[in-house]
Amino acid sequence: HESRAPVLTVDAPTGVQHGVFNVTFIWDRPVRGFGPRKIVFGGAGGSLIAFDAVDATTTATASEASVFTARIRAGGIGIVSIHVPAFAVQDARGVYNVRMTKETKIQFFGGRCSVELGCRYQLAEYESQLALNRVDTQIEKELQKEEKATIFKG
């Protein structure tokens, strides 16, 4: 009688990704209930554009598989993190994964377009800060003028 929780291994690409990438989810035995909604994204985020059970078998009561593949599009530049929450799947005996899986991290940098967008964002941030500094400087000068005027009147 297997009472140990199902264990997940995530096979994710290494190095910096520049486009859509694949991730393979490998459970140590067939599980039920694993699907796209059970994959949680964090960091730069992401979305599934394809999801398949590689070794699915269907019985009269359930569909089980132990190997799943996902095609993922990053949500932005940075680290895309992926995990599966506790109680997301159960094996044929009804034993759940009782802990959240270890977080898997994939570095994403989307190539030339991302570089241009990143640079534009940084430039916009810089220009915004310059504008705020100019406003602060102007307000400070106006306050100094008012202070001097008050001193001379008094």
Side-chain angles (χ1 to χ4, degrees):
H1 179 305
E2 181 76 53
S3 62
R4 175 177 70 80
V7 176
L8 176 65
T9 300
V10 179
D11 184 14
T14 58
V16 178
Q17 302 304 300
H18 299 284
V20 173
F21 55 90
N22 295 320
V23 174
T24 303
F25 299 86
I26 306 162
W27 293 92
D28 65 340
R29 59 183 171 274
V31 295
R32 300 174 182 167
F34 189 61
R37 292 185 182 141
K38 303 293 175 89
I39 299 169
V40 178
F41 291 97
S47 59
L48 292 173
I49 57 175
F51 183 84
D52 294 302
V54 176
D55 63 343
T57 58
T58 304
T59 65
T61 57
S63 178
E64 298 179 341
S66 59
V67 180
F68 301 83
T69 58
R71 196 144 172 77
I72 297 172
R73 176 176 288 124
I77 298 170
I79 302 295
V80 176
S81 63
I82 300 170
H83 75 269
V84 176
F87 300 99
V89 302
Q90 61 181 316
D91 66 11
R93 295 189 178 265
V95 178
Y96 284 91
N97 66 312
V98 293
R99 290 195 172 106
M100 178 182 96
T101 62
K102 181 181 176 209
E103 195 170 63
T104 299
K105 296 180 179 182
I106 301 108
Q107 189 172 357
F108 180 80
F109 192 78
R112 183 170 180 246
C113 178
S114 294
V115 170
E116 288 175 12
L117 290 175
C119 290
R120 286 182 191 163
Y121 176 77
Q122 288 176 346
L123 179 60
E125 228 178 10
Y126 175 71
E127 288 173 341
S128 175
Q129 189 59 52
L130 284 177
L132 288 172
N133 288 346
R134 280 193 300 268
V135 168
D136 287 345
T137 301
Q138 188 63 34
I139 290 171
E140 194 173 303
K141 285 180 182 179
E142 292 296 322
L143 289 173
Q144 287 173 355
K145 282 182 188 177
E146 286 179 21
E147 193 175 289
K148 286 180 183 178
T150 305
I151 292 172
F152 288 125
K153 285 182 182 178

